[in-house]
Amino acid sequence: MKKNTLNDLAVLGGIPSFEEKIHVGRPNIGSRERLMERIGNLLDTRWLSNSGPYVEEFEARIAEKAGVRHAVAMCNATVALQIAIRACGLTGEVIVPSFTFIATAHALEWQQITPVFCDIDPQTHQIDPNQVERLITPRTSGIIGVHLWGRTCDVDALAAVARRHHLKLLFDAAHAFGCSSKGRSIGQFGEAEVFSFHATKFLNTFEGGAVVTNDAALADKIRLMQNFGFRSYDDVVCSGTNGKMSEIAAAMGLTGLESLEEFIGVNYRNYQQYRRELEGVAGVRLLNYDAADESNYQYIVLEIDEAVTRISRDQLAAVLWAENVLARRYFYPGCHRMEPYRSLFPDAGQNLPHTEHLVRRVLILPTGTAVEPEQIRRICGIVRLAVCQGEALSRLLGHGEAVPVPRDALDSAAEMWPAEEPEPAPAPEARLALPARPALIG
Ligand SMILES: *Cc1c(COP(=O)(O)O)cnc(C)c1O
């Protein structure tokens, strides 16, 4: 149904635009036949884990695509980060952006390393290399840059800072598989880079990740650490953990890789459509992708300038949720405002003005192969209507905490909602609806 007036909006009593919930990060799935064929094979051979043929092939493909010599596939990117951090010998303090998924910070804190939060460039949302340099102390051992949104952070400036101060440089490239910076593919920078193949990422292995590096000794160490320190049968040569990727995960990854160009093509087409349809909506900025770099275009990132739109980001989120468009506030409220960091560093926000500003403005819209052009057209129509009549709508909705952001009781993604906003008890219908939960929601 086309929405023409405010009364048509579901948040004000109209009929929701979509019957089914539209999630951000709905998985891209390649050829079912190819996947089932591979699963059949691994069941036939009973080779389910421990450097099986699919994991080896997947590692070769990842290394090839990233243009690096070594790839170690892992059970997820968080463990991959933990292992890369440890294999690089990081200790004391490591500088990271606060505007990132919490795993970047947790991977350090989990092994008693202090994440020191750095601000971002407000234009690109990437870590600010100048501030990185100012945050260095005698305890600093490294920097972890994050290539956010499938854009790339300033790899050259970060490498220069790292070189000047003899620091290790790692990259959380969870969003950046298939991306490049100035003609060089992501994967080649720093000591190592870490990809995520979580189901919500544009290439997935259900759960999974990989460390890539050109450093043979580092790759060897990482491979030992991810397999309990086993050099060979009965020979454990160092401390380790279990970070192995399973064969079924690699089978999914190989299948997805065969459709990689299609996934990127659909993301690019969606991004162009969003750009066209939101053009001229005052106060709504769609984060652009630098045309000089390759990207996977996996996030549609809006910035809502409330001074212009008169409707806040949270109010717009409430409007969309009521229409069953589950837009997300990544990475609200910033790592420094999540525990344990909020208690450890209560004043961290003073150094992070751009992060604090941005977390109140960003809204992520659905894309990927599960989203149809017609759906994007309707989503943009809702945004346009809400923003064009922002002042009146904002008045009707009420300001601040009173905004009835619809909570999807099925939405497990806790990072969206800060701890200080208590989760309301799910309505009885919602509880009954639980078995209908989709296989994955971001
Ligand atoms: C998804 C993500 C991770 C964690 O990846 P997992 O594979 O889920 O462990 C780390 N960092 C960033 C920036 C991410 O988006």
Side-chain angles (χ1 to χ4, degrees), residues 76-79 81 100-101 103-104 146 148 172 174-175 196-198 200-201 207-209 299 331:
N76 61 58
T78 305
V79 167
L81 274 168
T100 178
F101 183 59
T104 319
V146 181
L148 222 57
D172 176 342
H175 297 182
S196 172
F197 306 119
H198 181 253
T200 54
K201 306 305 202 279
E207 290 270 2
Y299 294 97
F331 296 97

Side-chain angles (χ1 to χ4, degrees), residues 242-320:
N242 183 354
K244 293 189 289 344
M245 176 177 275
S246 68
E247 282 291 280
I248 196 166
M252 181 68 166
L254 285 167
T255 307
L257 277 172
E258 288 166 355
S259 297
L260 198 74
E261 295 312 312
E262 181 207 327
F263 297 163
I264 295 174
V266 169
N267 284 346
Y268 182 66
R269 187 191 72 201
N270 290 348
Y271 163 70
Q272 293 291 359
Q273 187 185 350
Y274 272 115
R275 179 153 288 295
R276 268 195 318 278
E277 306 223 8
L278 292 174
E279 183 147 28
V281 182
V284 176
R285 172 185 179 225
L286 171 59
L287 189 78
N288 73 321
Y289 287 91
D290 191 335
D293 292 335
E294 278 174 82
S295 179
N296 51 40
Y297 300 95
Q298 70 174 313
Y299 294 97
I300 299 295
V301 183
L302 297 189
E303 267 181 65
I304 309 303
D305 182 357
E306 187 180 351
V308 177
T309 58
R310 317 305 295 175
I311 179 174
S312 71
R313 184 275 310 270
D314 286 354
Q315 288 175 319
L316 183 58
V319 166
L320 287 165

Side-chain angles (χ1 to χ4, degrees), residues 35-352:
L35 177 62
M36 293 308 170
E37 197 183 301
R38 289 187 166 109
I39 292 174
N41 280 339
L42 69 88
L43 293 178
D44 288 346
T45 60
R46 300 187 186 235
W47 199 339
L48 307 187
S49 192
N50 291 10
S51 342
Y54 288 138
V55 165
E56 288 200 347
E57 188 183 346
F58 185 62
E59 288 179 339
R61 290 282 139 76
I62 295 301
E64 184 185 17
K65 178 78 191 161
V68 286
R69 284 199 278 280
H70 310 281
V72 184
M74 300 262 187
C75 55
N76 61 58
T78 305
V79 167
L81 274 168
Q82 289 170 358
I83 292 175
I85 286 164
R86 198 167 174 122
C88 283
L90 299 188
T91 57
E93 297 175 359
V94 171
I95 299 165
V96 293
S98 172
F99 192 64
T100 178
F101 183 59
I102 193 68
T104 319
H106 278 356
L108 293 162
E109 200 273 341
W110 194 250
Q111 37 201 341
Q112 287 76 50
I113 301 168
T114 305
V116 173
F117 294 116
C118 183
D119 212 358
I120 46 168
D121 175 324
Q123 277 304 307
T124 64
H125 301 183
Q126 310 297 320
I127 189 168
D128 172 6
N130 294 322
Q131 194 185 8
V132 168
E133 193 151 30
R134 292 197 294 275
L135 291 171
I136 294 169
T137 73
R139 296 190 68 226
T140 308
S141 64
I143 304 164
I144 302 181
V146 181
H147 304 298
L148 222 57
W149 311 134
R151 296 182 51 125
T152 56
C153 54
D154 191 341
V155 286
D156 295 332
L158 289 172
V161 173
R163 218 177 306 113
R164 270 200 293 283
H165 298 270
H166 310 288
L167 303 176
K168 303 273 187 185
L169 177 60
L170 286 172
F171 289 97
D172 176 342
H175 297 182
F177 183 69
C179 301
S180 73
S181 172
K182 301 188 191 109
R184 294 180 66 194
S185 50
I186 293 304
Q188 308 177 30
F189 299 101
E191 322 295 329
E193 302 208 49
V194 175
F195 296 125
S196 172
F197 306 119
H198 181 253
T200 54
K201 306 305 202 279
F202 93 113
L203 174 71
N204 85 84
T205 59
F206 303 111
E207 290 270 2
V211 182
V212 291
T213 179
N214 279 320
D215 180 336
L218 182 63
D220 187 51
K221 202 163 168 188
I222 286 169
R223 210 173 270 292
L224 285 173
M225 285 181 164
Q226 71 137 197
N227 188 26
F228 313 99
F230 276 106
R231 168 72 67 199
S232 64
Y233 289 123
D234 311 327
D235 185 17
V236 173
V237 298
C238 65
S239 177
T241 182
N242 183 354
K244 293 189 289 344
M245 176 177 275
S246 68
E247 282 291 280
I248 196 166
M252 181 68 166
L254 285 167
T255 307
L257 277 172
E258 288 166 355
S259 297
L260 198 74
E261 295 312 312
E262 181 207 327
F263 297 163
I264 295 174
V266 169
N267 284 346
Y268 182 66
R269 187 191 72 201
N270 290 348
Y271 163 70
Q272 293 291 359
Q273 187 185 350
Y274 272 115
R275 179 153 288 295
R276 268 195 318 278
E277 306 223 8
L278 292 174
E279 183 147 28
V281 182
V284 176
R285 172 185 179 225
L286 171 59
L287 189 78
N288 73 321
Y289 287 91
D290 191 335
D293 292 335
E294 278 174 82
S295 179
N296 51 40
Y297 300 95
Q298 70 174 313
Y299 294 97
I300 299 295
V301 183
L302 297 189
E303 267 181 65
I304 309 303
D305 182 357
E306 187 180 351
V308 177
T309 58
R310 317 305 295 175
I311 179 174
S312 71
R313 184 275 310 270
D314 286 354
Q315 288 175 319
L316 183 58
V319 166
L320 287 165
W321 277 56
E323 305 290 348
N324 278 328
V325 180
L326 307 191
R328 299 290 303 274
R329 315 187 285 184
Y330 293 152
F331 296 97
Y332 184 82
C335 292
H336 68 289
R337 286 181 177 269
M338 294 183 180
E339 294 296 0
Y341 315 109
R342 181 172 51 184
S343 297
L344 286 171
F345 316 114
D347 302 324
Q350 287 170 12
N351 274 332
L352 305 166

